[in-house]
């Protein structure tokens, strides 16, 4: 079976996490990925996670500073659709391969650049390790831990966010190329990847109350969703959800045999002190249960619950297995390994692992032979064309063919002044976050997104901050799909749309008459995406669920809380799995769109919160004997994962983050701290030995950092080129959203809401040179655009009037008097 991205060639010059993982999502749907490595190979190959992130590609070893290397790379560019690089801004230009040079070689080529910070930002020249971007972007202060102050995030949030932005930008540019005939320069950054996860917590809103902000507010001890984590016998933990999409057969308290527990409404009306008395009794009951037995009992009674597990246990989870996310890969170094499978499920053109991580330069001869064959073919073609021209007509000018001209000729089409997806219409039936967030990001890329919600409004509207975090740039049609007339309108919209997207529990769309079969009847080439909680198959596919469950099943809460160091599990307040599911879904949708652009075929696809959690632990894998190849672990105080990649407290009770990865930086650090003898100690001569003696080194460094302020150390380290950042407290994002650099570079969006006034959120996450992304406006009111949308879809005015009169459609009134009565009182 031909895969969706067959025929696309990607040259991957990236390293770290974002580039390799982002490209992996494209490679395993058919793209031919060639990893271009410097002499000796990618320096990050020593990290075990590359065993997964680097698979499904070929490797060629090139010195881009040599004549042979640059010549070969120019030939590769001429044959490529996409080039991906993660240098600091300007480095590719200095190598002779900036975007203008690439476009001269191949006008259809897309260059995707992934620096740590956007070009033109004051941080752009600074070192860009993930931990440093965590600090500079404000994320370390956003997540509460088991101590006050900034904490190190074990999940590399900036890099993981960017890993999704990379394929989104590439696939959008490939779609735009179908119209323009040209490639373009796509840029994103780790800084923008960090902003991605602030969608439901960083909003500066003119008419918002303290209650609005505190729903998702930071608190000590950690608040939102944390209270649903319970300890069972033998210090094992589970995370219980308040929603499952199913009708419970027994209450949670009945299962626990908590006889005197009040009903939920009475409990919520009780004083905080009385609630705590009940909660203490509840926690005591959990301690009497074996965790796995209790999980089974909750599930049998239709409650959504997950054991909080380590990353290595993911492969034993029944839903991981059912979703095809457990794969055996024969690695050239490690032998038989168990790795994460393909997390995007295209049912028409399924993805597949193409092969293990290649060795450095493994495909040198193969790739060079392909280039030689292409040269020979080009020479023969030019010769044949020359003979034909000489016979058919007089030669009026000499022809000097260029590689660019032979490979591709760009159409003379002016760049669109809208986004790369401006010709795409999406019916968004999703609610809450994991469904609507993906279409919101596609709206930022130019898509016409129609939010189709009940006439009573999206159920998430009750929680304004999370709702606003996934709805901007859309128009709202309030429609009762359960009404036959409303269902007919839904079918009319689907017939004229490109994509249907939602997050309904399995079977619900079928009951409503808008499942894939029904949608395909309306439009044969429709692209249809359902983002589930667990996934399509059993054993748990019937359940719904919320983000924290999959932080539990994906290993995040175990690692975030440093449970192995003796702490309790910790929930990330950013909604990591909601975002991951949404992003997987739209990478899948755009992959399917690329396939439709080439073949005319639509298809169905799905993703899940569960798989969205698994991908965060994708750098964990099992050896042939079942040994878990773990990532570095967080210490009990949330400082970091290594003595030289962590936070240190300073004299002024502030903190500084360092990322010392090179021997020269180690020598300079010891000198700056007055610990020159430490740098001469043979026990600490290599990075590996320094990691092995982590605690010993930390015990010497910690008191040294207390001798001066964070600002003193940062300036000193800057002089010595020691990578560092002082963690930035953004005050709920306000400092970021009002930052002059961020505003100038389009990283902040501002618009006016009819009720809440001026609103600020993050802005452009992906920049495209030819078809720029844009934010078109605020989250819509319920039914704000109902009449407008129906008119655009050629529904006659008398029919629209009848639909509104019957209640099948709701249209917000111009004065908003009725609207305020219905939805804001």
């Amino acid at each position: 079976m031909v895969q969706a991205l067959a025929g696309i060639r990607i040259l991957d010059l990236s390293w770290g996490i974002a580039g390799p993982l982002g490209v992996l999502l494209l490679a395993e749907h058919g793209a031919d990925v060639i990893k271009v490595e410097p002499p000796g190979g990618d320096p990050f190959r020593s990290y075990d996670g590359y065993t997964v992130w680097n698979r499904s590609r070929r490797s060629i070893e090139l010195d881009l500073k040599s004549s042979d290397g640059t010549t070969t790379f120019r030939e590769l560019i001429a044959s490529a659709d996409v080039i991906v690089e993660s240098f600091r801004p300007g480095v590719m230009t200095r190598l002779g391969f900036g975007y203008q040079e690439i476009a001269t070689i191949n006008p259809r080529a897309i260059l995707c650049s992934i620096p740590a910070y956007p070009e033109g930002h004051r941080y752009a020249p600074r070192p860009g390790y993930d931990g440093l971007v965590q600090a500079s972007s404000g994320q370390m202060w956003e997540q509460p831990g088991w101590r006050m102050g900034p904490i190190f995030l074990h999940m590399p949030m900036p890099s993981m966010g960017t890993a999704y932005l990379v394929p989104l930008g590439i696939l959008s540019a490939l779609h735009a190329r179908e119209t323009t005939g040209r490639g373009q320069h796509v840029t994103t950054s780790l800084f923008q990847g960090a902003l991605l996860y602030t969608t439901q917590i960083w909003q500066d809103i003119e008419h918002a109350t303290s209650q609005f902000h505190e729903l998702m507010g930071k608190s000590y001890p950690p608040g939102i969703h944390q209270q649903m984590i319970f300890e069972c016998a033998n210090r094992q933990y589970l995370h219980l959800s308040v929603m499952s999409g199913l009708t419970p057969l027994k209450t949670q308290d009945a299962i626990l045999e908590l006889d005197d527990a009040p009903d939920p409404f009475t409990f919520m009306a009780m004083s905080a002190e009385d609630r705590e008395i009940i909660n203490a009794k509840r926690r005591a009951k959990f301690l009497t249960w074996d965790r796995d037995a209790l999980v089974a009992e909750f599930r049998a009674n239709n409650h959504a619950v997950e054991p909080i597990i380590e990353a290595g246990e993911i492969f034993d989870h029944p839903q991981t297995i059912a979703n095809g996310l457990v794969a055996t890969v024969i690695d050239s170094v490690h032998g038989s390994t168990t790795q994460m499978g393909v997390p995007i499920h295209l049912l028409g053109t399924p993805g597949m692992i193409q092969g293990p991580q290649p060795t450095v330069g493994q495909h040198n001869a193969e790739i060079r032979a392909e280039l030689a064959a292409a040269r020979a073919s080009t020479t023969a073609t030019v010769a044949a064309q020359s003979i034909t021209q000489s016979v058919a007509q007089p030669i009026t000018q000499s022809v000097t063919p260029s590689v660019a001209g032979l490979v591709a000729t760009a159409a003379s089409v002016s760049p669109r002044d809208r986004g790369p997806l401006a010709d795409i219409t999406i019916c968004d039936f999703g609610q809450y976050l994991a469904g609507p967030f993906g279409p919101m990001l596609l709206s930022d890329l130019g898509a016409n997104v129609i939010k189709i919600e009940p006439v009573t409004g999206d159920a998430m509207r009750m929680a304004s901050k999370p709702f606003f975090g996934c709805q901007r740039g859309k128009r709202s049609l309030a429609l009762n799909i359960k009404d036959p007339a409303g269902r007919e309108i839904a079918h009319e919209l689907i017939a004229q749309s490109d994509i249907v997207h939602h997050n309904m529990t399995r079977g619900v769309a079928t009951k409503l008459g808008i499942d894939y079969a029904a949608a395909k009847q309306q439009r044969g080439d429709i692209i249809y995406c359902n983002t589930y909680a667990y996934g399509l198959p059993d054993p748990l596919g019937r359940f719904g669920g919320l983000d924290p469950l999959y932080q539990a099943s994906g290993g995040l809460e175990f690692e975030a809380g440093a449970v192995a160091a003796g702490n309790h599990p910790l929930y990330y307040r950013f909604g990591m799995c909601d975002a991951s599911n949404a992003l997987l879904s739209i990478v899948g949708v755009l992959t399917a769109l690329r396939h439709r652009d080439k073949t005319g075929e639509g298809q169905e696809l799905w993703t899940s919160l569960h798989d969205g959690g698994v991908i965060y632990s994708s750098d964990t894998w099992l050896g042939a004997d079942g040994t878990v190849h773990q990532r570095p672990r967080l210490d009990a105080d949330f400082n970091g994962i290594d003595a030289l990649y962590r936070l240190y407290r300073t004299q002024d009770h502030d903190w500084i983050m360092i990322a010392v990865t090179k021997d020269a930086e180690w020598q300079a650090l010891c000198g700056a701290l007055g610990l020159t003898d430490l740098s001469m100690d043979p026990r600490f001569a290599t990075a590996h030995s320094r990691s092995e003696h982590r605690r010993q080194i930390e015990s010497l460094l910690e008191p040294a950092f207390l001798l001066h302020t964070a600002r003193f150390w940062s300036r000193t380290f800057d002089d010595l080129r020691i990578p560092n950042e002082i963690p930035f407290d953004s005050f709920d994002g306000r400092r970021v959203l009002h930052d002059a650099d961020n505003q100038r570079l389009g990283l902040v969006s501002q618009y006016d809401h009819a009720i809440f006034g001026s609103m600020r959120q993050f802005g452009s996450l992906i920049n495209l040179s030819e078809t720029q992304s844009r934010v078109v406006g605020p989250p819509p009111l319920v039914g704000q655009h109902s009449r407008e949308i129906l008119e655009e879809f050629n529904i006659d005015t008398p029919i629209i009037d009848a639909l509104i009169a019957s209640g099948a459609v709701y249209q917000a009134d111009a004065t908003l008097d009725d609207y305020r009565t219905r939805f804001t009182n």
Side-chain angles (χ1 to χ4, degrees):
M1 180 180 293
V2 176
Q3 290 189 280
L5 300 180
I8 295 297
R9 170 168 284 184
I10 300 174
L11 308 181
D12 180 17
L13 287 76
S14 69
W15 63 86
I17 301 173
L21 179 55
V23 168
L24 179 70
L25 296 177
L26 303 176
E28 297 188 338
H29 286 281
D32 173 23
V33 177
I34 298 175
K35 183 172 180 64
V36 180
E37 305 194 61
D42 181 338
F44 281 79
R45 275 182 172 267
S46 59
Y47 180 57
D48 269 353
Y50 256 38
T51 301
V52 180
W53 295 337
N54 230 14
R55 73 190 186 199
S56 295
R57 65 201 72 192
R58 299 186 289 167
S59 170
I60 186 170
E61 193 175 12
L62 290 180
D63 182 357
L64 296 185
K65 297 179 180 179
S66 72
S67 175
D68 174 70
T70 55
T71 299
T72 302
F73 190 55
R74 288 177 66 86
E75 288 187 281
L76 282 170
I77 291 172
S79 73
D81 296 278
V82 181
I83 300 95
V84 181
E85 58 90 8
S86 53
F87 296 107
R88 291 186 194 180
V91 171
M92 283 289 283
T93 299
R94 290 197 294 274
L95 288 171
F97 296 107
Y99 176 65
Q100 293 305 318
E101 290 79 13
I102 287 173
T104 299
I105 298 168
N106 180 355
R108 289 176 57 83
I110 294 160
L111 173 63
C112 179
S113 298
I114 325 166
Y117 302 97
E119 186 169 9
H121 199 282
R122 64 185 179 280
Y123 280 102
R126 296 187 65 77
Y129 294 98
D130 188 275
L132 300 180
V133 180
Q134 286 185 30
S136 65
S137 65
Q139 308 315 310
M140 286 182 165
W141 274 100
E142 282 304 314
Q143 176 62 42
W146 303 125
R147 64 160 172 79
M148 304 287 282
I151 69 168
F152 184 93
L153 305 180
H154 184 271
M155 197 281 285
M157 190 172 73
S159 295
M160 294 302 294
T162 311
Y164 286 121
L165 299 179
V166 167
L168 286 177
I170 290 170
L171 290 165
S172 297
L174 284 171
H175 177 71
R177 192 176 72 176
E178 293 296 305
T179 299
T180 67
R182 291 194 299 274
Q184 56 184 307
H185 192 184
V186 177
T187 59
T188 185
S189 66
L190 300 193
F191 189 81
Q192 287 160 292
L195 292 180
L196 169 74
Y197 290 108
T198 68
T199 189
Q200 59 180 331
I201 60 175
W202 280 6
Q203 299 169 22
D204 190 46
I205 297 180
E206 184 178 5
H207 300 310
T209 64
S210 60
Q211 183 180 6
F212 172 94
H213 288 290
E214 286 312 306
L215 174 66
M216 296 297 297
K218 176 182 174 182
S219 63
Y220 291 98
I224 184 76
H225 291 301
Q226 186 71 33
Q227 68 271 21
M228 297 302 288
I229 292 177
F230 295 97
E231 182 178 356
C232 300
N234 301 317
R235 204 172 173 273
Q236 291 188 309
Y237 298 87
L238 60 77
H239 205 134
L240 190 58
S241 177
V242 296
M243 295 177 63
S244 69
L246 304 173
T247 302
L249 304 179
K250 285 185 185 178
T251 67
Q252 295 172 359
D253 286 332
I255 293 168
L256 292 170
E257 298 180 347
L258 190 64
D259 298 329
D260 57 348
D263 65 81
F265 295 103
T266 302
F267 178 79
M268 299 221 15
M270 295 168 66
S271 67
E273 294 78 8
D274 288 340
R275 287 201 306 270
E276 180 52 33
I277 291 171
I278 298 295
N279 280 333
K281 294 179 180 179
R282 190 172 283 135
R283 285 192 292 269
K285 286 288 187 181
F286 275 95
L287 287 169
T288 67
W289 278 84
D290 172 79
R291 182 193 66 188
D292 294 342
L294 185 54
V295 166
E297 187 68 18
F298 276 132
R299 285 176 178 164
N301 285 280
N302 289 348
H303 291 284
V305 63
E306 279 299 322
I308 295 173
I309 60 176
E310 298 188 52
E313 298 177 88
I314 290 170
F315 301 109
D316 296 324
H317 193 291
Q319 197 65 35
T320 311
I321 297 168
N323 288 357
L325 221 58
V326 179
T328 298
V329 179
I330 308 302
D331 186 82
S332 61
V333 175
H334 304 289
S336 180
T337 65
T338 301
Q339 303 180 14
M340 175 193 76
V342 180
I344 299 172
H345 306 271
L346 273 66
L347 302 188
T349 57
M352 63 181 292
I353 296 171
Q354 308 294 332
Q357 174 182 214
T359 56
V360 178
Q362 179 179 338
H363 303 94
N364 283 350
E366 177 183 305
I367 294 168
R368 288 180 181 276
E370 290 174 1
L371 294 175
R375 283 197 302 272
S377 176
T378 298
T379 301
T381 300
V382 171
Q385 290 175 343
S386 178
I387 293 171
T388 300
Q389 289 173 352
S390 66
V391 171
Q393 59 185 33
I395 298 176
T396 57
Q397 60 181 18
S398 62
V399 178
T400 306
S402 69
V403 174
L406 295 172
V407 173
T409 302
S412 300
V413 181
S414 298
R416 292 177 289 178
D417 58 2
R418 297 180 293 169
L421 305 180
D423 58 338
I424 298 300
T425 296
I426 301 171
C427 286
D428 173 17
F429 291 95
Q431 298 191 61
Y432 296 97
L433 188 75
F437 185 47
M440 184 190 90
L441 297 179
L442 296 183
S443 168
D444 289 353
L445 291 166
N448 171 28
V449 180
I450 300 171
K451 177 176 179 57
I452 304 173
E453 58 184 317
V455 292
T456 53
D458 183 332
M460 182 61 99
R461 284 184 180 270
M462 63 182 179
S464 297
K465 202 166 188 179
F467 176 83
F468 288 158
C470 55
Q471 301 293 350
R472 75 178 184 201
K474 304 178 186 179
R475 294 183 297 163
S476 170
L477 166 61
L479 183 68
N480 181 5
I481 305 174
K482 296 178 181 179
D483 184 309
R487 185 180 301 115
E488 186 177 343
I489 291 298
H491 288 169
E492 288 281 350
L493 266 64
I494 290 170
Q496 299 180 57
S497 297
D498 299 278
I499 297 162
V500 173
H501 192 285
H502 66 81
N503 59 331
M504 298 176 195
T505 304
R506 189 179 71 189
V508 172
T510 300
K511 292 177 183 177
L512 293 173
I514 55 168
D515 60 358
Y516 176 61
K520 191 175 181 181
Q521 283 187 337
Q522 306 306 316
R523 176 168 177 168
D525 64 351
I526 197 75
I527 294 168
Y528 187 98
C529 180
N530 194 334
T531 65
Y532 293 105
Y534 282 95
L536 181 60
D538 290 323
L540 300 173
R542 65 194 179 94
F543 280 92
L546 299 178
D547 170 87
L549 293 180
Y550 312 100
Q551 291 199 29
S553 65
L556 274 74
E557 290 184 333
F558 187 94
E559 297 292 356
V563 176
N567 293 342
H568 293 288
L570 182 65
Y571 170 74
Y572 281 124
R573 64 186 286 258
F574 303 94
M576 319 305 303
C577 296
D578 277 333
S580 186
N581 187 11
L583 288 154
L584 283 171
S585 78
I586 56 175
V587 172
V589 160
L590 294 186
T591 300
L593 180 62
R594 168 65 191 176
H595 178 70
R596 194 181 75 177
D597 284 343
K598 303 308 291 183
T599 67
E601 299 170 355
Q603 62 180 302
E604 182 181 9
L605 66 136
W606 62 270
T607 59
S608 72
L609 288 163
H610 178 82
D611 293 4
V614 170
I615 199 171
Y616 289 130
S617 296
S618 56
D619 50 342
T620 298
W621 50 274
L622 308 181
D625 61 355
T627 301
V628 179
H629 286 253
Q630 286 280 9
R631 302 156 294 174
R633 289 201 138 141
L634 189 62
D635 65 304
D637 293 327
F638 296 93
N639 294 322
I641 57 175
D642 186 87
L644 302 179
Y645 194 74
R646 58 158 282 185
L647 290 159
Y648 282 95
R649 189 185 288 272
T650 56
Q651 183 186 56
D652 50 351
H653 303 291
D654 207 339
W655 299 79
I656 190 167
M657 173 71 199
I658 63 168
V660 174
T661 63
K662 300 175 183 176
D663 289 342
E665 293 166 355
W666 163 246
Q667 299 285 336
L669 177 70
C670 292
L673 295 173
L675 300 171
T676 305
D677 290 346
L678 189 62
S679 67
M680 306 298 291
D681 193 319
R683 293 174 299 169
F684 313 135
T686 66
H688 179 72
S689 64
R690 291 191 286 271
S691 293
E692 287 187 331
H693 292 89
R694 172 181 177 177
R695 188 60 205 132
Q696 188 173 356
I697 293 174
E698 287 176 333
S699 67
L700 297 170
L701 266 55
E702 286 169 350
F705 273 99
L706 291 172
L707 296 176
H708 293 287
T709 66
R711 287 166 180 77
F712 171 86
W713 288 125
S714 185
R715 293 189 183 105
T716 300
F717 293 165
D718 284 350
D719 289 346
L720 296 171
R721 297 189 177 182
I722 299 170
N724 75 93
E725 291 294 346
I726 298 174
F728 172 68
D729 187 349
S730 75
F731 289 95
D732 276 345
R734 281 178 290 176
R735 287 181 170 177
V736 173
L737 297 176
H738 289 269
D739 179 272
D741 266 9
N742 295 338
Q743 292 181 75
R744 176 176 55 82
L745 295 171
L747 304 179
V748 178
S749 58
Q750 183 176 8
Y751 28 73
D752 291 325
H753 189 274
I755 293 175
F756 284 88
S758 177
M759 304 178 68
R760 286 180 186 238
Q761 292 174 278
F762 68 73
S764 295
L765 299 177
I766 302 168
N767 304 99
L768 298 96
S769 61
E770 293 275 324
T771 55
Q772 188 55 271
S773 59
R774 83 284 184 268
V775 177
V776 297
L781 303 175
V782 180
Q784 182 176 350
H785 309 94
S786 293
R787 183 178 291 278
E788 172 186 309
I789 291 167
L790 295 176
E791 288 173 349
E792 284 181 13
F793 279 75
N794 301 313
I795 309 298
D796 292 337
T797 299
I799 296 176
I800 297 174
D801 292 339
L803 288 167
I804 295 173
S806 70
V809 169
Y810 173 74
Q811 168 66 48
D813 54 312
T815 64
L816 298 184
D817 292 337
D818 174 67
Y819 186 92
R820 292 177 188 274
T821 300
R822 287 175 181 248
F823 299 109
T824 64
N825 292 340

